[in-house]
Amino acid sequence: MTLSGLLTSQLIEELGWTTLSTTVGITINMILYGATAPFAIHSMEKYGIKKIVVLSLVVLCVGALVCTINSKIVFNLAWGILVGLGCGALTMSFGALFARSWFKRTGLPTGILTASAVTGQFVLLPGWAKLANEFGWRAPLIGCVVLTVITLLVICLLLNEKRSAIRTVTAYHLKPDSTFVDVFVNLKTFVKNKKFWVIALAFGMCGATTNGLMWSSFTPAANMEGIPIADASYLLLIVGVLNIPGTIGAGWLSDRINKQALLSVIFILRGASLIWLPFILTQPVGWELIAFAVVFGVFDVATVPPVINLCNQIFGDQGPSAFSWINVAHQLGAGLVALTGGMIAFITGSYYMLWFIAGGLCFIAAVIVLSPYHSEQPVQSVSP
């Protein structure tokens, strides 16, 4: 997913594309990354986890291969639809489903699962950037195809009852008689609850100030200011590494302190770092940008465990399903900001204003999460 910013920069350099050339595909990708999750979870419960995981990885592999075709239309369709669907089926909601299945206190395990996902998104970027510089823009996509094929082999060989006991968990959730209509029946129940809307609004602003920025806008923004793509990728590597203690720590804290207060502090500190960024992005990579990467990394995805924990407390066994729909709002926010960033850069020649808009959204979210409608009190009993 984080390849979008790197690919945009490479396509501008090598093929003369503009920031708008990939904006539509990136926006569709981010929206589907969220919108796919409720249906993916339903499918895992109906058809089994392994089948949906394999299908998602195959779609992802095909999408990455199709993206190597030198065509703006093909790239936007493949990146937007195929890669969006493939990644969306294995998003944070996937982790929420497992955490709810195995653990009574979901904060810490959710933090670890989220940290692993974000680490995969960021840690590989410097390697992809080096490949792109040496072999061209197609190299990172081919590298992802290779990793996907390896993952498929591992899944086919190891994801079975004998080696992982995963079938027992799948059987517990198996709903062979369910239909896709049930997905919307659950949504109808959620939208009647004010707490759902408050969490969704705040999480939408979360997506706007994380995925919508760092995945698609940071690398081209840094490159416009004279920072090499490789250096920008190393900064994102720092963000990814610091996500590990930040997200795990937030998960541990969400099991022990008020989640609303925790979320508010995270949003305030994230917003402050984003307001600082435009003043230091014009400088060569030094301690200021490294400090930004450290601070932003700690609070980048730290909102996810508290939000999942809130969903599990408020909606009980329907918590993962509720979170999957709330994650749609997260990705809608991300997609809108990715689109906005591309338009701002195209019109003004800089992403300068985008960082102030994102910082302001963080401060608004910090207030929203303190709303009385964002209470941790359950609306229905939680199954033991």
Side-chain angles (χ1 to χ4, degrees), residues 72-138:
K72 293 179 183 179
I73 295 176
V74 171
F75 179 89
N76 279 280
L77 289 175
W79 188 262
I81 298 174
L82 296 179
V83 176
L85 288 172
C87 289
L90 301 173
T91 184
M92 293 177 288
S93 303
F94 181 51
L97 177 64
F98 277 133
R100 181 67 184 173
S101 303
W102 288 338
F103 301 98
K104 182 177 181 180
R105 302 179 76 174
T106 58
L108 182 58
T110 301
I112 295 172
L113 289 169
T114 305
S116 69
V118 177
T119 300
Q121 290 163 356
F122 284 111
V123 169
L124 294 174
L125 271 180
W128 296 144
K130 186 174 181 180
L131 280 176
N133 287 333
E134 292 186 7
F135 302 105
W137 62 274
R138 291 185 177 90

Side-chain angles (χ1 to χ4, degrees), residues 75-383:
F75 179 89
N76 279 280
L77 289 175
W79 188 262
I81 298 174
L82 296 179
V83 176
L85 288 172
C87 289
L90 301 173
T91 184
M92 293 177 288
S93 303
F94 181 51
L97 177 64
F98 277 133
R100 181 67 184 173
S101 303
W102 288 338
F103 301 98
K104 182 177 181 180
R105 302 179 76 174
T106 58
L108 182 58
T110 301
I112 295 172
L113 289 169
T114 305
S116 69
V118 177
T119 300
Q121 290 163 356
F122 284 111
V123 169
L124 294 174
L125 271 180
W128 296 144
K130 186 174 181 180
L131 280 176
N133 287 333
E134 292 186 7
F135 302 105
W137 62 274
R138 291 185 177 90
L141 290 168
I142 295 172
C144 283
V145 170
V146 172
L147 285 183
T148 305
V149 171
I150 293 172
T151 305
L152 273 168
L153 291 175
V154 172
I155 292 296
C156 292
L157 291 173
L158 300 182
L159 193 61
N160 53 57
E161 187 173 10
K162 180 179 179 181
R163 295 188 181 275
S164 67
I166 200 70
R167 287 281 302 278
T168 59
V169 178
T170 309
Y172 176 77
H173 285 281
L174 205 58
K175 300 176 182 178
D177 299 325
S178 62
T179 66
F180 276 124
V181 175
D182 295 331
V183 179
F184 294 101
V185 171
N186 291 336
L187 176 62
K188 185 178 179 181
T189 302
F190 300 146
V191 298
K192 292 179 180 179
N193 190 301
K194 292 179 180 179
K195 296 177 182 179
F196 174 85
W197 286 107
V198 172
I199 299 173
L201 179 59
F203 211 48
M205 294 181 179
C206 174
T209 56
T210 52
N211 299 14
L213 287 175
M214 307 311 284
W215 291 9
S216 60
S217 300
F218 180 78
T219 300
N223 197 227
M224 282 182 176
E225 299 295 345
I227 297 175
I229 294 175
D231 289 352
S233 297
Y234 278 112
L235 289 171
L236 290 178
L237 168 62
I238 295 173
V239 171
V241 171
L242 268 295
N243 261 298
I244 300 173
T247 310
I248 294 175
W252 183 82
L253 286 172
S254 69
D255 284 331
R256 290 163 174 79
I257 66 174
N258 183 279
K259 298 165 204 39
Q260 293 171 260
L262 177 60
L263 284 168
S264 185
V265 170
I266 291 169
F267 276 122
I268 289 172
L269 294 174
R270 183 196 295 171
S273 69
L274 288 171
I275 294 293
W276 183 37
L277 181 59
F279 298 105
I280 60 175
L281 196 58
T282 55
Q283 306 171 16
V285 176
W287 72 266
E288 296 96 338
L289 280 170
I290 293 174
F292 163 79
V294 170
V295 173
F296 187 87
V298 170
F299 301 107
D300 180 25
V301 197
T303 53
V304 175
V307 169
I308 291 178
N309 219 336
L310 271 174
C311 289
N312 287 334
Q313 276 195 272
I314 295 171
F315 298 102
D317 286 336
Q318 291 298 317
S321 180
F323 176 75
S324 70
W325 282 109
I326 287 170
N327 193 48
V328 174
H330 185 276
Q331 292 310 120
L332 281 172
L336 287 173
V337 167
L339 179 62
T340 301
M343 293 177 65
I344 289 175
F346 182 77
I347 294 170
T348 68
S350 169
Y351 286 87
Y352 185 79
M353 290 302 301
L354 183 63
W355 312 116
F356 293 103
I357 294 172
L361 287 174
C362 283
F363 296 142
I364 294 172
V367 175
I368 289 174
V369 295
L370 295 176
S371 163
Y373 290 122
H374 201 271
S375 167
E376 300 175 24
Q377 295 302 314
V379 296
Q380 63 183 60
S381 60
V382 180
S383 299

Side-chain angles (χ1 to χ4, degrees), residues 1-12 15 17-30 32 60 62-85 136-142 144 215-216:
M1 290 292 293
T2 44
L3 271 182
S4 56
L6 171 62
L7 288 173
T8 298
S9 299
Q10 290 293 144
L11 289 167
I12 290 172
L15 303 181
W17 293 14
T18 69
T19 54
L20 284 184
S21 298
T22 59
T23 297
V24 173
I26 291 172
T27 302
I28 295 172
N29 175 289
M30 288 190 173
L32 284 181
L60 182 58
V62 172
L65 280 174
V66 174
C67 282
T68 61
I69 299 174
N70 185 355
S71 167
K72 293 179 183 179
I73 295 176
V74 171
F75 179 89
N76 279 280
L77 289 175
W79 188 262
I81 298 174
L82 296 179
V83 176
L85 288 172
W137 62 274
R138 291 185 177 90
L141 290 168
I142 295 172
C144 283
W215 291 9
S216 60

